[in-house]
Amino acid sequence: MADPLVTYPADGPFPGTVGRTLETSSPAWPARPTPPPDSPNVVVIVLDDVGYGQLSAFGGLCETPNLDRLANRGLRFSNFHTTALCSPTRACLLTGRNHHTVGLSSITELSLGYPAHNATMGFEHGMLPEILVAAGYNTFCVGKWHLTPPEETTSAGPFTRWPLGRGFERYYGFLGGDTDQFHPELVFDNHSVRPPATPAEGYHLNADLADHAIDFVKDAHAVAPDKPFFLWFATGAGHAPHQVEPEWVEPYRGRFDMGWDEYRHRVFERQMELGLMPAGTELSERDPDVPAWESLGEDARALYAHQMEVYAGFLTQTDHHIGRVLDFIESLGELDNTIVVCVSDNGASAEGGEHGVRNEGLFFNLVPGKLEDNLEALDAWGSEDVFGHYSWGWTWAGDTPFRRWKRETYRGGVTDPCIVTWSRGIPDPGRVRAQYLHAIDLMPTLLEILGIEPPATLRGVPQSPIQGVSFAAAIGDGNAPDRHRTQYFEMFSHRSIYHEGWKAVCPYPGPSMSEGLERGHPFGTPLSEAILDELDANDWELYDLTTDPAECNNIAASHRDKLEELKALWWTEARRHGVLPLAATELGRLIAPRPSVGSPRQVFEFYPGGSPVSFAAAPRVNNRAHSITAFADIPQGGAEGVILTQGNRHGGYALYISGDRLCFVHNYLSLARFTVRADEPVPRGAVALRMEFAPTAPASFAGGRGCPAEVRLFHDERVVGFGEVPYSVPVVFSTTGASCGSAFFDTVDPAAYQAPFTFTGALEKVVLDISGTLTVNPTAEYTRLMAQQ
C-alpha cells in the first residue's frame, strides 16, 4: 500500500526532505483548498427586468412552474431590494458592497470620470467567485455579465474584468446589457464565438445558456463529484428584446385581453392570498403616464395585449430552461445539497414607452415609439425581425402592487422577487419572509452559510469592508429581526432612503414623466445645482412602509421632522458611500468621451477573420464624415460578401458586394433602410473599394434623427455610385458590434443577404477613417449635382 500523501500549506515551509537522490528524500505536496465534506453547491439565478408582480410565484400571471417549485420547497422573501438598474445590482450581489462604492452608479456604458461612476470595479472589492474558487469551489458564469468597462470588452483585453478575471473558471454568455435572443453576441471564456445554430435550425439563447450551464457542471462532476460548485446563471430574460419561439406564445393568446388595469387587480388579490403583502395594504393608484385600458382603441388594445402575450411566453420559456438546469442537478443527486437563489435585478422596464417599441434601439436614440409602426410589426412580434419591448402600461402592471418602475427608486423600481431554496437550512418551506433585504446582503449571507470568513486580502489585494449584512438567520427563522435597518438609493438622480420602516423619496425628473414635464424637468433634463436646490426644498416625499407598503400616501406635510431627519440621513449615507456627484439621465452620458485600450485615434484598421469588435468599443461613426476603404483582390469570377459591418437587422450599416456591385446600406433602426449601389461591376484584380459618408446637415437629436448625408462609392479614385441618406441613426445602432470580412452575428439587411455572407475575394485590410477627411473629386461633385436635379 502506497504511503499517504503528505501535504502542507501552499505558503508554508516544505515538510519533506530533499536528499541527493530520491532514495534519501521524502515528498510532500502543496495542499489544494478543500471545502468541508458535503459543502453545499450554490446556484444564483438572476432574471433581468422582471417586476415584482410578473412571476406566478409572486402572484403574477406569467406561468413559471419551475420557480414555483423552488418557492414551494423554499422561501419567498417579500421585502428584497435592488438598485433599480442591472449592472449596479449585479455588482451589489457579487461584491456585497453598494454600487457607488464599487464605481457602478449606472450601467457600464454610461460611465463618467468620477469614482462613483467610472465602471472600473477595483480588485479591493472582491467578488464572491474569487472567494469561493480560493476556498476550493468550481465557479461557473453563464449568461449576462455587464460588469466590464465598455472599452475593455474587445479581443485586446485586458481580460481582468471579464468573468474569468474575477474568479469564474468558465464563462459562456454575453458581456453587454442585452443581446438578440436569436442572434446573440456571444463570448466563450475569453473569446467571441458564433451561436452553434441558426434560428431556422431551432436556436434560441435561453436553450443555449442552459446547455452550457449543464455542460459546465457535468464536466466538473465527472472528474471531481465531491467538489462543490457555484453557478451564476443570468438570463437575458425578460429584458428586451422580447423574443421567443411562437409555441411559447400561443398558450397565452387572449389571456391579457382584459388589459393592465384588470391585471393589477387580479395580481394584487393573488399577492394578498400568498401573504406577500401585510393585511391592510392598498394597491397603488393609476400612474399618470398610463392610460386607462378602456380608453384605448381596438387596434391599440390588440397590439398591447399581444405584446404581453409575447413577454409572458418569453418568461415561461425561460423558466423551462431554468428547470432543465435544476433537473440535471437533481439527476446528479445534488439538488438537496444546493442553495438556490433566484432574484431579479430591478423592476419591470418602461423603455418601451407608451406604445411599446418594435425596436428597443428607438428608446436609446430618442426616437418616439409610434402606434402605427408597431402595428406594422404586430404579426412578427416576438420573432427575430422585431427587437420588441412592451408598452409601459404592462411595466406599471408588472410591478404590482407598487408604483413606477426600473430606473426609479420608488418600490416599483427597487423591490423585486427573491426566492431562496435550501433543503438543509429551511425548517418551514413554502413560507414568506418579510425581513428587509438588499442585494448587498446576498454575498455575506452565502459566506456565513458556507462557513467562509471574508478574506482580509484576496490575491494579494487588501479588501474593502463588506457593506451588506447576512440574512442567514432569517432563512432559518421567520421571526428573526431585521438586520438591514438603513439603505440609501440613487439612480439617475432619483433618490430615496429607507430607515427602520420609513422611506423618503425625491423623484427626478418628477413622480412621473408627465409631472416632471409640468415641473419643467422633461425626461433627459440635466441636473443643475439650481434644480437640486429646488428638489431638496420642495420635492421630497415621505412614506410609512409599516402601514403603507405600496407608497400610496405621502405624509411629508404632517411629519416634517421625520422627513428632515431622513433627508439629512440621505446626504450622510451618500457621502459615506461615495455617491456624488449626482448625474441624471441625459444624452451626454451616452456619448461622453471615455478611455480606450489603445491610444486615441481616428483611423482604424480591420482584418478579415479576426474577432468582432464589441458594440461598446466599435468606432463611433454617427453624425460625422467618415470613409471605409477596402484593399481587395477580386478573382476573375468575381466576389461577393461583407467587407465591413456594424449592427444587425435592427440597426447598423454594411459595405458589401452583391451581384458584382459594391453596395452600402444604412439601417435606420429597422424603420427604414437606405441603400447605395454602384453603377458598374467591381473590377478584377487589386482594387481599393471605398465608401464615403458626408453629412449635409446637423443631426436632430430631439426628433430622433441623425444627420442626413451623401454617400459615394469608389473603385480606386473613380466614383461609381452616389446616393443620399435622408436621416441616420443618431446615437447607437444596436447592441451588436463590428466585424470585417463577414457578418459575424447577423445581417443588416435581410432582404439583401444572410449572415455570415463571408467575403469570397481576398481582403488585405479594411480602413475606417472617422477624421472627416473625404475625397475632393470633381467627378464626385458633378455626380452629386446631377443627382440633385
Side-chain angles (χ1 to χ4, degrees):
M1 180 176 178
D3 292 334
L5 290 177
V6 175
T7 61
Y8 63 99
D11 57 353
F14 177 68
T17 57
V18 178
R20 292 195 307 162
T21 66
L22 292 179
E23 181 182 20
T24 57
S25 303
S26 60
W29 295 86
R32 292 187 176 90
T34 304
D38 297 324
S39 291
N41 310 301
V42 178
V43 176
V44 176
I45 302 164
V46 185
L47 303 173
D48 201 341
D49 287 3
V50 174
Y52 193 88
Q54 291 180 324
L55 303 176
S56 52
F58 274 72
L61 303 186
C62 302
E63 296 178 2
T64 50
N66 289 290
L67 296 183
D68 291 349
R69 176 164 61 114
L70 286 180
N72 291 335
R73 63 185 291 171
L75 301 168
R76 296 169 178 87
F77 279 89
S78 63
N79 209 3
F80 171 77
H81 296 81
T82 60
T83 69
L85 209 62
C86 50
S87 297
T89 293
R90 292 159 198 271
C92 292
L93 291 167
L94 284 168
T95 70
R97 286 91 166 175
N98 283 295
H99 59 301
H100 296 91
T101 299
V102 300
L104 276 163
S105 67
S106 177
I107 59 174
T108 59
E109 293 85 358
L110 297 183
S111 54
L112 296 167
Y114 304 94
H117 305 282
N118 62 26
T120 306
M121 207 167 1
F123 300 105
E124 70 275 17
H125 311 305
M127 285 191 174
L128 181 60
E130 294 174 294
I131 297 172
L132 293 184
V133 77
Y137 272 69
N138 280 132
T139 54
F140 312 127
C141 182
V142 175
K144 175 173 172 174
W145 180 240
H146 210 193
L147 291 171
T148 302
E151 66 273 9
E152 296 183 9
T153 58
T154 74
S155 56
F159 300 102
T160 50
R161 291 184 177 86
W162 290 36
L164 267 60
R166 295 307 308 250
F168 287 108
E169 297 171 307
R170 303 301 310 277
Y171 175 62
Y172 186 85
F174 55 101
L175 293 178
D178 65 16
T179 196
D180 194 300
Q181 296 288 313
F182 291 112
H183 303 278
E185 191 168 5
L186 288 172
V187 168
F188 199 151
D189 291 338
N190 275 0
H191 64 282
S192 295
V193 294
R194 286 191 171 102
T198 66
E201 295 167 330
Y203 181 84
H204 191 281
L205 177 60
N206 273 336
D208 193 14
L209 296 180
D211 288 346
H212 280 82
I214 290 169
D215 285 347
F216 289 170
V217 174
K218 180 192 303 179
D219 290 349
H221 190 80
V223 177
D226 56 342
K227 188 174 184 179
F229 64 85
F230 169 51
L231 170 63
W232 175 266
F233 189 79
T235 70
H239 198 293
H242 301 162
Q243 296 171 318
V244 70
E245 303 95 334
E247 59 264 29
W248 293 98
V249 179
E250 196 58 35
Y252 284 103
R253 291 284 183 181
R255 288 171 58 176
F256 300 104
D257 290 354
M258 77 294 200
W260 42 63
D261 296 290
E262 179 61 22
Y263 178 101
R264 295 184 81 232
H265 288 288
R266 293 185 190 181
V267 169
F268 183 57
E269 289 180 5
R270 289 161 59 105
Q271 290 173 334
M272 296 300 289
E273 291 170 1
L274 287 169
L276 293 167
M277 293 290 118
T281 298
E282 296 179 52
L283 177 63
S284 60
E285 294 182 354
R286 163 173 307 287
D287 190 282
D289 291 330
V290 178
W293 185 261
E294 292 305 317
S295 72
L296 303 171
E298 184 177 343
D299 286 347
R301 290 199 302 267
L303 170 69
Y304 300 151
H306 187 51
Q307 290 173 349
M308 188 60 197
E309 291 166 1
V310 169
Y311 180 82
F314 189 22
L315 281 193
T316 300
Q317 184 250 34
T318 303
D319 176 86
H320 167 75
H321 291 295
I322 290 171
R324 290 178 52 222
V325 176
L326 298 175
D327 287 346
F328 177 73
I329 295 171
E330 188 169 32
S331 75
L332 299 177
E334 290 288 337
L335 192 58
D336 285 343
N337 191 38
T338 299
I339 302 166
V340 183
V341 179
C342 180
V343 298
S344 177
D345 59 357
N346 45 245
S349 168
E351 286 150 10
E354 180 181 355
H355 303 297
V357 285
R358 59 188 288 177
N359 179 1
E360 195 197 26
L362 273 65
F363 172 82
F364 299 114
N365 286 280
L366 306 181
V367 181
K370 296 181 180 178
L371 180 62
E372 54 268 31
D373 289 337
N374 290 340
L375 287 170
E376 288 180 1
L378 177 61
D379 292 339
W381 210 275
S383 74
E384 63 180 319
D385 292 320
V386 175
F387 205 95
H389 193 298
Y390 55 26
S391 163
W392 64 21
W394 292 119
T395 312
W396 170 62
D399 288 326
T400 301
F402 306 124
R403 59 191 296 183
R404 301 302 286 175
W405 42 54
K406 173 183 176 181
R407 305 194 320 269
E408 301 180 14
T409 66
Y410 289 115
R411 291 197 73 184
V414 301
T415 306
D416 293 287
C418 176
I419 300 169
V420 178
T421 300
W422 183 33
S423 297
R424 284 166 40 193
I426 299 174
D428 52 349
R431 300 298 181 90
V432 172
R433 297 283 197 263
Q435 286 87 350
Y436 189 96
L437 312 181
H438 189 273
I440 60 175
D441 299 333
L442 179 64
M443 181 170 128
T445 301
L446 292 174
L447 291 181
E448 179 179 344
I449 292 172
L450 300 178
I452 298 173
E453 286 292 325
T457 61
L458 197 55
R459 293 195 279 193
V461 179
Q463 293 295 285
S464 66
I466 292 176
Q467 295 165 340
V469 294
S470 172
F471 59 89
I475 293 175
D477 180 3
N479 295 316
D482 283 3
R483 297 192 60 213
H484 200 128
R485 299 162 64 105
T486 303
Q487 180 61 47
Y488 81 92
F489 298 89
E490 188 278 333
M491 188 54 61
F492 300 127
S493 298
H494 198 292
R495 295 173 286 158
S496 64
I497 186 158
Y498 168 86
H499 180 65
E500 296 181 351
W502 294 88
K503 186 177 176 186
V505 184
C506 188
Y508 186 75
S512 63
M513 299 292 185
S514 55
E515 290 166 288
L517 186 61
E518 291 172 2
R519 298 179 187 196
H521 312 147
F523 179 75
T525 302
L527 182 69
S528 66
E529 292 285 343
I531 292 176
L532 180 59
D533 288 342
E534 171 196 332
L535 294 172
D536 270 358
N538 303 313
D539 285 30
W540 279 92
E541 303 165 1
L542 181 66
Y543 301 95
D544 180 355
L545 298 186
T546 62
T547 60
D548 180 22
E551 300 171 330
C552 298
N553 303 299
N554 176 16
I555 56 175
S558 58
H559 292 73
R560 296 303 303 180
D561 290 346
K562 176 59 70 173
L563 178 63
E564 292 302 321
E565 173 192 335
L566 291 183
K567 286 167 59 176
L569 183 57
W570 188 90
W571 283 103
T572 297
E573 292 292 293
R575 293 187 176 96
R576 186 158 74 96
H577 296 292
V579 174
L580 305 177
L582 295 175
T585 305
E586 54 186 283
L587 182 62
R589 289 189 71 159
L590 189 60
I591 61 176
R594 293 183 177 85
S596 60
V597 173
S599 301
R601 56 187 169 137
Q602 295 185 307
V603 178
F604 302 80
E605 294 186 355
F606 299 91
Y607 302 91
S611 295
V613 178
S614 66
F615 102 93
R620 290 180 176 168
V621 301
N622 308 71
N623 307 306
R624 64 197 310 170
H626 62 276
S627 65
I628 301 170
T629 306
F631 298 93
D633 195 308
I634 309 300
Q636 288 304 309
E640 66 173 7
V642 167
I643 294 169
L644 186 69
T645 185
Q646 182 182 349
N648 56 21
R649 67 188 64 208
H650 309 295
Y653 69 82
L655 183 64
Y656 61 97
I657 295 176
S658 178
D660 210 22
R661 297 292 194 275
L662 182 64
C663 305
F664 175 80
V665 60
H666 183 98
N667 180 338
Y668 178 76
L669 303 171
S670 75
L671 298 180
R673 291 182 177 88
F674 307 112
T675 300
V676 181
R677 183 178 174 88
D679 300 325
E680 57 186 72
V682 176
R684 280 29 176 181
V687 61
L689 304 172
R690 182 174 173 87
M691 183 283 303
E692 293 187 350
F693 187 97
T696 56
S700 174
F701 290 107
R705 292 189 171 188
C707 67
E710 297 172 345
V711 173
R712 300 181 183 86
L713 301 178
F714 295 79
H715 295 163
D716 292 321
E717 296 300 316
R718 192 160 56 86
V719 177
V720 294
F722 175 83
E724 293 181 302
V725 174
Y727 47 88
S728 58
V729 176
V731 181
V732 60
F733 291 117
S734 72
T735 56
T736 301
S739 59
C740 176
S742 72
F744 195 88
F745 300 109
D746 191 18
T747 174
V748 169
D749 187 354
Y753 65 89
Q754 294 299 310
F757 201 40
T758 303
F759 191 71
T760 58
L763 279 177
E764 177 188 347
K765 65 179 177 181
V766 178
V767 178
L768 172 61
D769 187 335
I770 60 173
S771 68
T773 302
L774 302 178
T775 301
V776 178
N777 187 300
T779 304
E781 289 302 300
Y782 176 76
T783 304
R784 178 182 66 82
L785 293 171
M786 292 299 294
Q788 291 177 333
Q789 297 302 310

